[in-house]
Amino acid sequence: MTEALDLPQLLGAYAIGVFPMADSRDADSIYWVEPRRRAILPLDGFHLSRSLRKTIAADRFRVTVDRAFDRIIALCAESVDDRPDTWINATIEQAFRRLHGLGLAHSVECWDGERLVGGLYGLALGRAFFGESMVSRATDASKVAIASLVARLRVGGFTLLDCQFMTDHLATLGAREIDRGDYMALLGAALSATGSSAAGSSSAAGAVSAGADFRALDAAAGADGAVPGKVIVQALTQTS
C-alpha cells in the first residue's frame, strides 16, 4: 500500500528549496533532493522565438488551466521511447492530486481539438511557482504550455519560476542555472513578499492562501476556459 506524503511537510520542504523524487514509477519510496545548482526561468527573460510566437498567436493549440490535472500528471508519468522511466511514483502523484484538490497545484493543458497533446503541472507557493514536469505529444505543445505558464505568472504577480534541473529544451526558452545560495535568496523573497511560510504552517491550504494570483489571466478566457493566443503573446511581450 502506498504511504501518503504529509502535505504540510511537503510544502515546508518546497519552502526551503527541497523537493521529492522517486527512483522509478513503481518505486515504493521517495527521496528528497536539494540541488547545488538550480534551474530557473526568469519571468522577464522568456525567449519567445518568432516561430513560437506565430504558433501561439494562431491558436494552434487550445490552452486551458486545471481542466485535466489528473490526465496531465498521468501523461507526465508515462513511459515513452526517449524516457523509459519517470521519477513520478504513486506517492508523488497522489500527493499532487491532493494539493490540486486544495487549489495549490495547477496544470496547463494544450489541446488539439478534443485531444490532449501536452502540458505541465506544478505547485504555487507565495509568489513562487515550482514547475514539476511537462509533457508533449505534438510538436511545440510543451513550448506553448510553458509560454502560457510564464504569461500567467507575469500577469498574476509571481516573481520566481523554479524549473529544478536545467535541460537543453529549457535553455532554448531562456532558463538559466544559478547557485543554491542565489536560488534561496530568490525563494525567500518570493515567500516573504506575502508573509506566508509553509514551513511553519499547520494547514496545507493556509500555507499559500496569500500571495500572487494564478487565476489573474482567466479574465481573458473564453467560455471554454481557453485563453486566446494573442492575449498570451501580449502578456509575454509587454514591459512593466
Side-chain angles (χ1 to χ4, degrees), residues 67-149:
R67 291 298 180 100
F69 184 90
D70 289 357
R71 292 175 63 187
I72 285 293
I73 195 170
L75 274 178
C76 287
E78 270 187 6
S79 174
V80 291
D81 290 342
D82 61 346
R83 190 189 61 191
D85 215 334
T86 177
W87 55 268
I88 306 169
N89 70 349
T91 299
I92 293 172
E93 182 175 1
Q94 290 174 13
F96 269 87
R97 286 184 174 184
R98 290 160 62 206
L99 289 172
H100 175 65
L102 292 171
L104 310 181
H106 302 283
S107 60
V108 176
E109 305 98 15
C110 289
W111 307 82
D112 185 357
E114 296 303 313
R115 188 167 68 97
L116 183 61
V117 294
L120 57 83
Y121 78 95
L123 170 69
L125 181 63
R127 296 183 184 273
F129 189 89
F130 304 86
E132 288 295 299
S133 187
M134 58 185 172
V135 62
S136 185
R137 295 290 186 267
T139 302
D140 288 338
S142 62
K143 289 183 179 180
V144 172
I146 198 167
S148 302
L149 174 66

Side-chain angles (χ1 to χ4, degrees), residues 1 19 22 27 45 61 68 97 111-112 130 139 150 157 168-169 172 183 195 210 220:
M1 185 175 181
F19 55 89
F61 301 108
R97 286 184 174 184
W111 307 82
D112 185 357
F130 304 86
T139 302
V150 171
D168 292 341
H169 178 58
T172 65
Y183 171 78

Side-chain angles (χ1 to χ4, degrees), residues 5-69:
L5 276 172
D6 178 76
L7 295 191
Q9 178 189 22
L10 179 60
L11 292 172
Y14 277 92
I16 59 171
V18 180
F19 55 89
M21 295 185 73
D23 285 325
S24 68
R25 177 64 173 164
D26 298 325
D28 293 328
S29 61
I30 59 104
Y31 57 93
W32 299 96
V33 182
E34 186 179 17
R36 292 184 178 179
R37 300 277 291 172
R38 195 83 166 223
I40 64 164
L41 206 168
L43 297 177
D44 60 353
F46 182 78
H47 181 228
L48 183 63
S49 67
R50 183 177 300 178
S51 60
L52 181 57
R53 179 173 181 158
K54 287 181 177 180
T55 296
I56 296 170
D59 289 316
R60 170 68 182 81
F61 301 108
R62 181 166 56 91
V63 182
T64 61
V65 164
D66 290 340
R67 291 298 180 100
F69 184 90

